[in-house]
Amino acid sequence: MEDRRQHIEQLFKRDYKKMLTLGRILLHDEEEAKDVIHDIFTALLAGSTEIKDATADGMLMTSMRNRCYNRLQHKKTAELVHNMLPVETQTETNTDETDKLQQVEQIITNDFTPQTRRVMELRFKQQMSYKEMAETLHISEAAVYKHLVKGIATLKENLKIK
């Protein structure tokens, strides 16, 4: 177990700069790139996946790329949530906008747990990072991520956003 941890730490030290560069290129945000790297290595430490030196570099860079793309997709969805309207309805009348806003408020009130509601508010209203939210709520960054995913998925499902 300790050998595994040391091996993962060696990989982190060896590949951190390359992963950070890729993350900055894809995300255009160094802090988000660091969050993605943190998520990758947290998952490696928590999991039991065997990591071979011959394939570790490719696996880490592929994982970085995929998680950056996922983060970009989540950002796109988050922008829609933040604006409280799907892109297609932004040009509709105020009545339609008011109806959608009421629908979003109803979803938040009825379908979100109190913790998910707090995480969504900290992320989208106060623009906090995962780390800041985790510290504020006294939960792990992984838990913050799960609440965000759950909240966004609930909104997308109920608002029929693809």
Side-chain angles (χ1 to χ4, degrees):
M1 183 67 178
E2 189 61 33
D3 288 339
R4 176 179 168 71
R5 183 178 179 83
Q6 288 175 347
H7 184 242
I8 291 171
E9 286 175 6
Q10 288 172 342
L11 292 173
F12 178 84
K13 290 174 185 174
R14 184 187 79 190
D15 292 327
Y16 181 82
K17 287 182 182 179
K18 288 189 290 190
M19 293 172 75
L20 184 60
T21 300
L22 177 60
R24 279 189 290 211
I25 289 168
L26 295 174
L27 298 171
H28 304 287
D29 184 336
E30 184 167 346
E31 289 305 312
E32 283 220 57
K34 288 178 182 179
D35 278 349
V36 171
I37 294 169
H38 179 266
D39 291 346
I40 290 169
F41 281 97
T42 300
L44 284 174
L45 285 169
S48 60
T49 305
E50 184 180 338
I51 305 161
K52 298 178 182 171
D53 281 334
T55 58
D57 189 48
M59 183 217 40
L60 289 172
M61 295 304 282
T62 300
S63 196
M64 185 69 186
R65 181 199 66 211
N66 291 343
R67 285 183 184 240
C68 286
Y69 287 151
N70 289 344
R71 182 73 57 110
L72 290 170
Q73 183 62 42
H74 285 288
K75 269 180 137 178
K76 181 180 172 187
T77 304
E79 285 177 27
L80 294 175
V81 170
H82 182 66
N83 294 329
M84 301 296 182
L85 293 170
V87 174
E88 302 89 314
T89 64
Q90 288 181 358
T91 58
E92 293 178 6
T93 64
N94 285 339
T95 305
D96 290 339
E97 290 176 6
T98 302
D99 290 346
K100 283 289 186 185
L101 286 173
Q102 288 173 344
Q103 185 181 4
V104 168
E105 287 175 18
Q106 200 171 26
I107 293 165
I108 290 170
T109 303
N110 298 333
D111 297 346
F112 284 11
T113 64
Q115 188 77 321
T116 300
R117 197 174 312 128
R118 284 191 295 271
V119 168
M120 296 289 282
E121 182 179 301
L122 292 174
R123 183 66 178 169
F124 298 113
K125 288 186 178 177
Q126 296 183 23
Q127 303 293 312
M128 285 188 171
S129 71
Y130 285 29
K131 184 176 182 177
E132 291 169 329
M133 289 186 289
E135 290 170 358
T136 300
L137 299 172
H138 305 292
I139 60 176
S140 70
E141 288 181 51
V144 167
Y145 178 78
K146 288 177 184 176
H147 282 289
L148 284 171
V149 169
K150 180 181 173 186
I152 291 169
T154 300
L155 284 171
K156 284 174 68 174
E157 180 181 315
N158 285 291
L159 296 173
K160 308 293 187 254
I161 300 173
K162 294 184 180 194

